[in-house]
């Protein structure tokens, strides 16, 4: 779930793109957008790492190892793993409010977890590592906003700043939602047109919408998961104006909520290493599609 998420779904901005947009993507990728056969936002408890599935993500090349040349050579992608597994140890720090341009919000949150105790923050790191590997294989320069190398955070304003300072061609923030049982599927959060204080998304709304739509289409095809049945009106796309990570971005950026950790069927997918690889592949394909135009 987004780390600066406080507005309930009923108060969110309407999806930027109509259902037909995703439907068209689905027709080019899969026969329909149904859920995989094997298969109220809220901050859940960040459970013990001992509950984390043990299957490791694929190793990434060392920083000194030259990247292979490929279709994304010369492009920079920033991956933003939602939350931080150690945030729960630093509640005072992450509750400090920071400027998001249009107001102030908490630095970060702990994120949610499955009922069995698999934390969102562990999920996001695992998928982010897999996504980095796939993008680097295509020649992209890939940066992570954090890699469990700091005691908490980074705060939402710093997460945006990392992408901006890298002059990223695309930024993807990886998350999983924490909604009610029966609420299933993924959705991609797009930045609304926001201007106020230090926030001005006017130059990235269109490019971010394209990035999000392409990720959504490839995510359907690769994972077999359906677009959210509770957010986005069946499009898999949700436009919001209350997320600091989007409001403060000056480069194309989206959040991907890969599924609902509180629904048993979605949780079974999110805790599967093979499904997480598919999720990373879907995002990588969507990013590459966007960057290649």
């Amino acid at each position: 779930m987004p780390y600066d998420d406080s507005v309930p779904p009923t108060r969110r901005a309407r999806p930027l793109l109509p259902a037909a947009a995703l439907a068209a993507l689905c027709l080019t990728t899969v026969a329909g957008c149904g859920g995989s056969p094997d298969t109220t936002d809220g901050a859940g408890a960040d459970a013990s790492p001992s509950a984390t599935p043990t299957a490791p993500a694929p190793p990434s090349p060392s920083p000194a190892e030259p990247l292979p040349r490929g279709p994304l050579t010369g492009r920079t992608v920033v991956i933003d793993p939602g939350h931080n597994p150690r945030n729960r140890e630093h509640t005072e720090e992450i509750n400090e409010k920071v400027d998001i341009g249009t107001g102030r919000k908490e630095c970060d949150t702990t994120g949610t977890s499955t009922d069995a105790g698999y934390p969102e923050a562990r999920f996001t790191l695992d998928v982010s590592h897999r996504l980095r590997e796939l993008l680097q294989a295509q020649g992209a320069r890939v940066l992570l906003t954090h890699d469990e190398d700091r005691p908490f955070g980074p705060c939402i304003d710093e997460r945006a700043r990392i992408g901006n300072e890298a002059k990223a061609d695309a930024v993807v923030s990886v998350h999983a939602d924490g909604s009610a049982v029966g609420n299933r599927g993924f959705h991609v959060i797009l930045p609304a047109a926001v201007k106020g204080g230090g926030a001005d998304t006017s130059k990235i709304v269109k490019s971010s919408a394209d990035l999000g739509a392409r990720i959504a289409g490839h995510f359907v095809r690769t994972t077999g998961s359906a677009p959210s049945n509770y957010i986005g009106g069946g499009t898999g796309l949700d436009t919001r104006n209350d997320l600091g990570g989007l409001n403060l971005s000056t480069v194309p950026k989206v959040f991907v909520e890969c599924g609902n950790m509180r629904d048993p069927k979605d949780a079974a997918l999110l805790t599967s290493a093979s499904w997480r690889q598919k999720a990373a592949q879907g995002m990588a394909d969507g990013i590459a599609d966007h960057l290649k135009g």
Side-chain angles (χ1 to χ4, degrees):
M1 64 184 297
Y3 33 73
D4 52 348
D5 189 357
S6 66
V7 175
T10 55
R11 293 178 56 195
R12 293 175 182 164
R14 295 176 61 84
L16 183 64
L17 301 180
L22 185 60
L25 286 166
C26 295
L27 288 174
T28 64
T29 54
V30 291
C33 293
S36 170
D38 14 314
T39 62
T40 301
D41 292 354
D46 201 6
S48 166
S50 63
T52 306
T54 57
S60 294
S62 67
E65 184 179 337
L67 291 171
R69 294 194 62 81
L72 300 185
T73 296
R75 311 308 289 269
T76 297
V77 179
V78 171
I79 304 170
D80 180 26
H83 314 286
N84 181 324
R86 298 172 62 189
N87 275 356
R88 68 184 184 278
E89 301 167 4
H90 298 275
T91 55
E92 183 176 351
E93 290 91 340
I94 67 172
N95 284 332
E96 288 288 330
K97 292 190 175 182
V98 298
D99 186 3
I100 66 165
T102 56
R104 297 183 67 81
K105 278 201 167 180
E106 289 75 15
C107 158
D108 204 351
T109 69
T110 61
T112 188
S113 67
T114 66
D115 288 344
Y118 179 38
E120 179 188 0
R122 290 288 176 193
F123 169 84
T124 64
L125 274 172
D126 181 271
V127 173
S128 294
H129 291 159
R130 296 171 188 274
L131 178 55
R132 176 175 60 186
E133 175 79 3
L134 292 166
L135 293 170
Q136 287 179 331
Q138 297 188 65
R141 170 179 176 248
V142 183
L143 305 175
L144 267 62
T145 59
H146 76 97
D147 198 3
E148 204 176 356
D149 51 357
R150 51 193 299 162
F152 65 91
C155 294
I156 55 179
D157 56 340
E158 184 181 355
R159 290 174 187 262
R161 190 161 57 248
I162 291 169
N164 297 343
E165 292 179 351
K167 301 186 185 309
D169 296 292
V171 183
V172 174
S173 190
V174 180
H175 287 268
D177 209 359
S179 190
V181 174
N183 289 344
R184 295 199 61 196
F186 75 92
H187 64 279
V188 182
I189 304 176
L190 315 174
V194 171
K195 189 168 186 178
D200 184 357
T201 62
S202 58
K203 294 181 180 180
I204 67 163
V205 167
K206 184 176 179 180
S207 55
S208 297
D210 181 77
L211 172 64
R214 290 176 189 265
I215 289 175
H218 283 281
F219 203 90
V220 167
R221 181 191 69 183
T222 305
T223 67
S225 291
S228 169
N229 64 6
Y230 63 103
I231 291 176
T235 65
L237 303 172
D238 183 36
T239 303
R240 293 181 58 174
N241 62 9
D242 64 308
L243 299 178
L246 296 180
N247 288 0
L248 297 175
S249 185
T250 59
V251 294
K253 183 174 182 177
V254 298
F255 283 36
V256 181
E257 296 278 5
C258 297
N260 176 20
M261 299 196 98
R262 295 293 183 169
D263 178 83
K265 292 180 179 178
D266 268 12
L269 300 177
L270 298 167
T271 55
S272 163
S274 62
W275 189 89
R276 292 195 301 272
Q277 186 65 29
K278 292 177 183 178
Q281 186 69 63
M283 283 186 264
D285 291 346
I287 293 167
D289 197 16
H290 167 75
L291 294 180
K292 289 185 280 190

